Amino acid sequence: TFKSNCLLLSDLVACAKQSAAIFRPSQRKKDTKMLNGIYSTNFAGSVTAGSGVVIIDGGRIMGGDSSFVYRGKHRPDEKNGITAVIDVEKHNDTLLSIFGDQKDFRLNLNGVVAADGKSLTLSGQVEGKPHLMIVMKLTKLSDLIDEEK
């Protein structure tokens, strides 16, 4: 499981290694539709940690928390993992970001999908600021509503 002590920058590298050991990618590339769903997310950054909700629909990622909106895209990578680019935009000035006084920024992420397809672990950094690192764990809560039914 993703340890709750993955909340400080000093813990990010250890947590990323732990996550890579737990979430071994399957032998085949993940079907993008298999990832579709509603996820809870817990993340740790350079200053603090946070949580939110994410929807994955096709190659799109959408979500947010009490201060930020997340929008981006993902795709399978050549290593049976996942690559994502997520734009994060502040909508509420009450709280700082997990990187301190960052308002709007882009995350470049890479990660792995659990073999059962029910969770993802991603790590990366703020574009243009490699010292601002993040580790995220997404846990599937529900499938999306099938419009055909």
Side-chain angles (χ1 to χ4, degrees):
T1 61
F2 191 70
K3 292 185 179 179
S4 60
N5 68 350
C6 299
L7 300 180
L8 302 172
L9 178 59
S10 60
D11 299 323
L12 287 175
V13 173
C15 291
K17 288 179 182 176
Q18 170 201 358
S19 298
I22 293 169
F23 298 99
R24 299 264 184 240
S26 71
Q27 297 301 315
R28 62 181 179 80
K29 289 197 184 240
K30 296 291 178 190
D31 177 10
T32 301
K33 287 190 175 192
M34 185 177 102
L35 296 176
N36 287 353
I38 302 169
Y39 292 79
S40 66
T41 182
N42 293 299
F43 42 85
S46 302
V47 174
T48 188
S51 61
V53 175
V54 171
I55 296 170
I56 296 177
D57 187 6
R60 300 177 303 156
I61 299 173
M62 303 155 280
D65 58 39
S66 61
S67 291
F68 292 87
V69 173
Y70 329 134
R71 294 180 305 166
K73 295 187 179 219
H74 75 87
R75 62 178 168 74
D77 70 14
E78 64 278 352
K79 298 175 187 170
N80 293 328
I82 186 171
T83 299
V85 176
I86 300 175
D87 291 320
V88 181
E89 298 175 8
K90 191 162 197 158
H91 68 78
N92 178 349
D93 287 332
T94 305
L95 299 173
L96 292 176
S97 85
I98 60 170
F99 302 115
D101 193 25
Q102 295 287 314
K103 292 192 184 245
D104 298 343
F105 50 92
R106 175 171 281 177
L107 296 171
N108 294 312
L109 305 165
N110 292 293
V112 291
V113 180
D116 64 6
K118 294 183 180 179
S119 61
L120 298 86
T121 300
L122 300 165
S123 61
Q125 64 275 332
V126 173
E127 186 172 272
K129 298 181 181 182
H131 62 285
L132 297 180
M133 299 181 293
I134 185 171
V135 173
M136 304 174 71
K137 165 87 186 292
L138 284 78
T139 304
K140 195 170 196 176
L141 300 173
S142 175
D143 290 326
L144 297 178
I145 296 171
D146 186 356
E147 292 182 28
E148 296 177 10
K149 290 186 178 181

